[in-house]
């Protein structure tokens, strides 16, 4: 192929997720379950979950059995906490915070549904990319050609754009800002980028607070293969007694951020998982 005509292929994460879920037998995925504890033995895995019951915040505790447990439960994985513990390869703060948002696309050549762009001022960086087209708008609340916010109505291309804002911040301040919620995060984004070139101020203003999130950025050092395979002695003990797990490989493993979280730039986590 002609080198000049080559382009990147962008696959929206929500679309890939939908395609994968459509291939799964209905009822396979059980939502609203939080792992409390597991026990690994030669007879299999005993899993204990806390299930949300309606409006109850605590819910009921249920038990399941399995042959294999794959901890894909994120950077603060409950599976990792039991298998590896918090002392091995602890979280390492990378010195910055990330704010994410999804908005209908303002009318601009930069938010035309095909273009990816980034702008930086030496401290703060904003990266934006197409999230969905007019035909496949993922969020019903953002459908239509015009969007009205508290400030004023804006004309839209009709598709959606996802943006990511990152900048240095002390860890304690980043934690506090993320805990203040989406309104504070949006205000911070506008304070930093509200005077930048079009369409950035409009893009930020058009973003509903319900579609804004933010968090301090962490990663971890790699686990050794032996530790990832067999875990620590904390996993191999039950009621203060060692079981047969110490003499065989564990039936529990980790994947994704639970195994090795990386900074959320360049799609590293999703791409390496694939």
């Amino acid at each position: 192929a002609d080198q000049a005509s080559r382009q990147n292929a962008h696959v929206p994460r929500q679309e890939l997720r939908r395609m994968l879920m459509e291939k799964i037998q209905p009822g396979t995925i059980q939502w609203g379950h939080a792992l409390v504890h597991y026990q690994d033995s030669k007879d299999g895995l005993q899993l204990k979950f806390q299930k949300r019951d309606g409006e109850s915040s605590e819910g009921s505790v249920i038990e399941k059995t399995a042959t294999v447990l794959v901890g894909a439960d994120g950077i603060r994985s409950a599976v990792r906490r039991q298998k590896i513990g918090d002392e091995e390869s602890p979280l390492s703060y990378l010195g910055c915070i990330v704010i994410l948002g999804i908005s209908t696309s303002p009318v601009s050549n930069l938010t035309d549904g095909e273009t990816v762009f980034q702008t930086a001022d030496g401290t703060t960086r904003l990266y934006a990319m197409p999230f969905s087209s007019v035909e496949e708008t993922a969020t019903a609340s953002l459908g239509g050609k015009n969007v009205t916010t508290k400030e004023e109505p804006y004309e839209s291309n009709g598709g959606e754009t996802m943006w990511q804002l990152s900048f240095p911040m002390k860890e304690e301040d980043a934690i506090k800002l993320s805990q203040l919620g989406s309104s504070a995060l949006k205000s911070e984004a506008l304070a930093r980028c509200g005077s930048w070139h079009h369409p950035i101020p409009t893009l930020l203003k058009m973003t509903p607070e319900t579609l804004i999130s933010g968090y301090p950025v962490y990663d971890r050092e790699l686990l050794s293969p032996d530790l990832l395979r067999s875990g620590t002695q904390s996993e191999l003990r039950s009621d203060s007694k060692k079981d047969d797990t110490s003499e065989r490989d564990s039936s529990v493993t980790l994947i994704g951020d639970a195994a090795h979280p990386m900074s959320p730039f360049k799609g590293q986590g999703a791409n390496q998982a694939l």
Side-chain angles (χ1 to χ4, degrees), residues 8 10 109-118 127-130:
N8 291 328
H10 298 279
N109 290 337
L110 292 176
T111 50
D112 58 2
E114 296 182 358
T115 303
V116 175
F117 76 92
Q118 65 175 349
Y127 172 89
M129 65 178 290

Side-chain angles (χ1 to χ4, degrees), residues 21-260:
M21 289 180 64
E22 284 181 349
K23 300 297 183 181
I24 299 175
Q25 194 74 13
T28 300
I29 299 176
Q30 300 291 318
W31 303 104
H33 290 63
L35 181 71
V36 177
H37 180 78
Y38 70 83
Q39 177 59 44
D40 189 4
S41 72
K42 64 181 180 180
D43 298 321
L45 285 158
Q46 305 296 319
L47 310 174
K48 186 178 293 186
F49 295 93
Q50 192 160 30
K51 180 182 179 183
R52 289 198 300 268
D53 294 329
E55 299 299 320
S56 172
S57 59
E58 295 186 0
S60 57
V61 175
I62 61 173
E63 295 186 0
K64 299 283 186 178
T65 59
T67 54
V68 172
L69 173 61
V70 180
D73 50 341
I75 193 169
R76 302 185 187 278
S77 166
V79 179
R80 180 189 176 109
R81 188 174 302 113
Q82 182 176 340
K83 180 177 178 67
I84 306 296
D86 293 325
E87 301 303 317
E88 295 284 348
S89 183
L91 287 173
S92 174
Y93 182 56
L94 298 184
C96 65
I97 186 172
V98 163
I99 302 176
L100 302 164
I102 300 171
S103 171
T104 43
S105 303
V107 175
S108 168
N109 290 337
L110 292 176
T111 50
D112 58 2
E114 296 182 358
T115 303
V116 175
F117 76 92
Q118 65 175 349
T119 300
D121 65 0
T123 301
T124 302
R125 168 185 174 270
L126 185 138
Y127 172 89
M129 65 178 290
F131 184 77
S132 66
S133 67
V134 177
E135 294 78 15
E136 56 187 21
T137 302
T139 18
S141 62
L142 298 184
K145 298 293 289 183
N146 294 284
V147 175
T148 302
T149 67
K150 293 178 182 178
E151 293 86 0
E152 55 185 292
Y154 296 100
E155 187 178 358
S156 167
N157 281 337
E160 292 171 319
T161 297
M162 181 179 73
W163 53 268
Q164 179 196 77
L165 184 67
S166 57
F167 49 88
M169 183 171 274
K170 293 181 180 178
E171 183 177 15
E172 56 268 28
D173 295 333
I175 293 172
K176 181 183 296 184
L177 177 58
S178 65
Q179 290 175 341
L180 288 174
S182 58
S183 178
L185 291 166
K186 183 173 184 177
S187 295
E188 182 71 26
L190 285 167
R192 289 177 174 270
C193 307
S195 61
W196 286 14
H197 67 79
H198 181 72
I200 290 175
T202 305
L203 179 68
L204 298 178
K205 291 176 182 178
M206 288 175 69
T207 307
E209 291 180 3
T210 53
L211 295 180
I212 294 177
S213 60
Y215 51 86
V217 179
Y218 297 90
D219 69 2
R220 295 183 192 266
E221 293 295 325
L222 285 169
L223 292 170
S224 69
D226 288 343
L227 194 59
L228 183 59
R229 181 180 301 113
S230 300
T232 63
Q233 288 301 308
S234 63
E235 180 197 26
L236 307 180
R237 295 179 181 274
S238 174
D239 299 327
S240 301
K241 297 179 182 179
K242 289 179 68 174
D243 64 15
D244 69 296
T245 327
S246 58
E247 298 176 358
R248 62 178 177 82
D249 286 346
S250 171
S251 298
V252 181
T253 192
L254 305 168
I255 194 172
D257 283 353
H260 181 215

